[in-house]
Amino acid sequence: MMMKYELKKFFHKKINKIILIVMVFLAIIISYLAVGSMRYRDAEGKLYTGITAGRRLAADRNKWKGKLTVEKIKEVVENRKTLEQIYPEDIPDAEYGKTVQSYDDILSFIIYVFTPDSGYDQNALYRLSDEELENFYSTYEENIQKMVQSYGKSSKQQEFLKRKYEEIEMPLDYAAKDSWDTMAMYAQTYGIILAVVIGFLAAGIFADEFRTKAEAVFFSTKYGRSKATRNKLLTGIVMTTVVYWTGMGILSIVSFGVMGTSGFLTPYQIDQPYSIYSMTYGEYYFLILLCGYIASLFSAAITMLVTVKMHSANLAICIPFFLYCMMPFIGRAVPVFETFFNIMPSVFMNIIEYAKVPIIFQIGPIVVRQIPFVMTIYGILAIILLPLVYKNFSKYGIQKF
C-alpha cells in the first residue's frame, strides 16, 4: 500500500508529469530525426530521404546478403576499380545509385582490413593485386595477430586478446545494417538525456520531505524509518526502470518500425574489423541500451544519496550532468589522465567510440575488456549505494551525518 502511494505521489507530481511528457515527445522527435537521416539513391540518381529511404536502402544492399566470400570481395573491388577508370573525377549519382551504393559498406570493410594502422585510406584499394584479394582473410588474420602484439602488454593480455579475436567467424555473414548503425548514435544521445533526467527525478523522491518540512511527521509514523523509507527507495528503482525502458522502447519501436530491422545478425566487424567485441549489430544496440540503463541506475542512486546527505536536491541534480555531459569533454581536454577517464561512468555515454578500441585492463592474472569492466563497477556501485541511502535517510535526526 505504501509503495502504491509513493508511486502515485511521484507520477502525479506536476513537474514530473511535464518532464515525462516531454521525454515521450523527445523520443518521438529523435525517432523522426533518425528516420530522416537515412539516404537512398535510385538507379536514376534521385535522392530519397525519410520514411521510405531506410527500407529501400536495405533492399538494395541486401543484394549482397550472405557470406562475404573472397569471390564477392573481388567482385566489389573490381567493380569499384572499373568505375574509377571510367569516372576519374567523380562517380555520377545515377551510377552510384545503380551499383556503388549497394556495396559501399562492404568496400569500407575491405579498406579497413588492409589498412589497420593508417585508418581509412581509399587509395589502398587501387593498389591491391589479385593475389592480395585472394588472400583477403589470411591478411585479416595476420593483421589481427599484429593487433594482439601491439595492444597486449603482457602474455596474459595477448592470450586474452587472441581468444577474443578467435570469436570472429570468417568469412563474415553480411546483411544491410544501416538502421542499427544509425540508431546506435541516436539511442546513445537519448540515453544521455534520460540518465540526467532520471537523476533529477530521483532527487525529488527524498527531497520533497525536506522541501515541505514534513520530515518530522514522516519519521513520527510507525513505519517512517523502516518500511516507508524502503518504499521510497524502491520507488526510485521502479521509476528509473519504467522511465528508461519506456523511453527507449518508444524510440526503438517507432524508428525500427519505419526503417526495418535488417542486419540484426550482421557482425559488428563489418564496420570495425579489429574490434575485440565480437557481436552482431542487434547485440551492439542492446549493449548501448544496457549501458544506458546502468548509467541511469547509478544516476538515480547517487542523486538520492546526496539528497539525503545534504537534505536538499540542489547539488544532487547537478551530479548526473557533470558525470555524463561534462566529464567526456574534460577527459578529451586532459589526455594525461586517460586511464582514469577510461573507467569513469562517462564511458557509458560513448560506447560507440569505446567499442572500436581494444582497451583492456589487467588485475593480477585477470584480464578484462573496458566496457564489461565499467558495467560491472557501476552496476555494483549502484546496488551498494542503495543501502547507504536507506541508512542515511532512516537515521535522520537520530545521529549526525
Side-chain angles (χ1 to χ4, degrees):
M1 203 67 183
M2 287 185 185
M3 179 69 177
K4 186 177 179 181
Y5 168 74
E6 286 293 342
L7 286 171
K8 184 178 179 180
K9 186 170 74 169
F10 174 83
F11 286 106
H12 279 72
K13 190 176 177 181
K14 187 175 180 180
I15 183 64
N16 290 354
K17 279 184 177 180
I18 294 171
I19 290 172
L20 294 175
I21 291 170
V22 169
M23 294 310 293
V24 169
F25 276 107
L26 187 59
I28 296 171
I29 291 169
I30 293 176
S31 297
Y32 173 79
L33 294 174
V35 171
S37 69
M38 301 297 283
R39 299 286 185 270
Y40 166 76
R41 286 195 184 276
D42 63 16
E44 296 178 355
K46 184 178 179 181
L47 179 66
Y48 294 84
T49 62
I51 294 176
T52 63
R55 290 184 182 270
R56 288 188 176 192
L57 181 62
D60 188 31
R61 291 188 166 172
N62 277 333
K63 295 172 184 176
W64 298 90
K65 188 175 181 179
K67 295 290 184 182
L68 274 185
T69 60
V70 171
E71 288 70 27
K72 284 185 179 180
I73 288 169
K74 289 172 72 174
E75 185 180 348
V76 166
V77 174
E78 286 168 7
N79 183 274
R80 189 66 177 84
K81 284 182 176 180
T82 300
L83 289 176
E84 187 66 23
Q85 291 174 352
I86 298 173
Y87 308 105
E89 295 298 324
D90 197 16
I91 295 175
D93 290 341
E95 190 62 52
Y96 178 83
K98 192 186 301 181
T99 56
V100 179
Q101 177 179 252
S102 67
Y103 61 68
D104 225 4
D105 48 0
I106 297 175
L107 198 68
S108 297
F109 166 66
I110 296 168
I111 293 170
Y112 276 127
V113 166
F114 281 106
T115 58
D117 300 319
S118 57
Y120 189 84
D121 181 10
Q122 188 165 316
N123 292 324
L125 187 72
Y126 310 115
R127 298 191 294 267
L128 296 175
S129 65
D130 289 341
E131 184 180 356
E132 286 175 313
L133 289 173
E134 193 68 42
N135 296 320
F136 176 80
Y137 282 106
S138 296
T139 301
Y140 188 8
E141 290 174 348
E142 289 172 6
N143 286 341
I144 282 176
Q145 293 306 312
K146 292 178 183 177
M147 299 293 282
V148 169
Q149 297 296 322
S150 176
Y151 287 93
K153 306 304 180 186
S154 68
S155 59
K156 287 286 184 182
Q157 291 183 11
Q158 290 178 4
E159 288 173 13
F160 177 82
L161 289 171
K162 187 177 180 181
R163 286 198 305 272
K164 292 304 171 186
Y165 278 125
E166 284 174 351
E167 293 174 5
I168 301 172
E169 296 183 11
M170 300 184 194
L172 273 61
D173 201 355
Y174 173 78
K177 42 69 183 175
D178 299 271
S179 60
W180 297 97
D181 197 14
T182 299
M183 282 305 297
M185 179 181 68
Y186 287 96
Q188 184 169 270
T189 302
Y190 188 53
I192 297 172
I193 298 170
L194 280 175
V196 173
V197 168
I198 285 171
F200 176 84
L201 294 173
I205 293 172
F206 287 93
D208 284 348
E209 307 301 335
F210 301 114
R211 181 179 56 83
T212 58
K213 308 297 182 184
E215 71 272 20
V217 177
F218 182 87
F219 290 122
S220 67
T221 60
K222 182 178 181 180
Y223 296 108
R225 296 188 183 277
S226 55
K227 192 174 180 181
T229 300
R230 285 197 300 272
N231 283 326
K232 277 186 172 293
L233 204 55
L234 287 172
T235 298
I237 298 170
V238 171
M239 176 276 297
T240 300
T241 303
V242 171
V243 172
Y244 181 83
W245 289 112
T246 299
M248 283 301 186
I250 293 170
L251 177 71
S252 302
I253 290 169
V254 173
S255 301
F256 289 119
V258 176
M259 295 188 292
T261 57
S262 172
F264 181 88
L265 296 177
T266 300
Y268 175 64
Q269 275 65 30
I270 286 291
D271 263 352
Q272 301 297 327
Y274 299 104
S275 171
I276 57 175
Y277 297 91
S278 180
M279 55 188 173
T280 67
Y281 261 90
E283 292 168 339
Y284 174 49
Y285 186 72
F286 183 70
L287 174 66
I288 291 172
L289 296 190
L290 186 57
C291 285
Y293 180 57
I294 294 172
S296 295
L297 282 175
F298 181 70
S299 176
I302 197 168
T303 50
M304 287 191 291
L305 178 61
V306 173
T307 298
V308 300
K309 291 285 283 183
M310 303 294 294
H311 309 154
S312 170
N314 294 335
L315 175 62
I317 60 178
C318 298
I319 294 174
F321 180 80
F322 174 76
L323 289 177
Y324 302 131
C325 298
M326 298 300 295
M327 254 196 168
F329 293 101
I330 297 172
R332 285 192 287 270
V334 192
V336 69
F337 297 113
E338 183 180 5
T339 302
F340 172 76
F341 285 102
N342 281 341
I343 57 172
M344 287 292 101
S346 54
V347 169
F348 292 130
M349 302 299 110
N350 208 8
I351 296 298
I352 291 175
E353 292 302 318
Y354 285 116
K356 299 175 183 178
V357 188
I359 299 175
I360 55 177
F361 302 104
Q362 184 170 355
I363 305 170
I366 301 173
V367 181
V368 292
R369 292 174 294 181
Q370 177 196 29
I371 296 174
F373 183 57
V374 173
M375 289 171 69
T376 302
I377 289 175
Y378 292 99
I380 292 172
L381 275 177
I383 295 170
I384 291 174
L385 290 177
L386 297 178
L388 294 178
V389 176
Y390 174 80
K391 179 182 177 182
N392 280 275
F393 189 69
S394 64
K395 292 187 180 296
Y396 175 76
I398 296 177
Q399 64 180 27
K400 188 177 181 180
F401 294 89

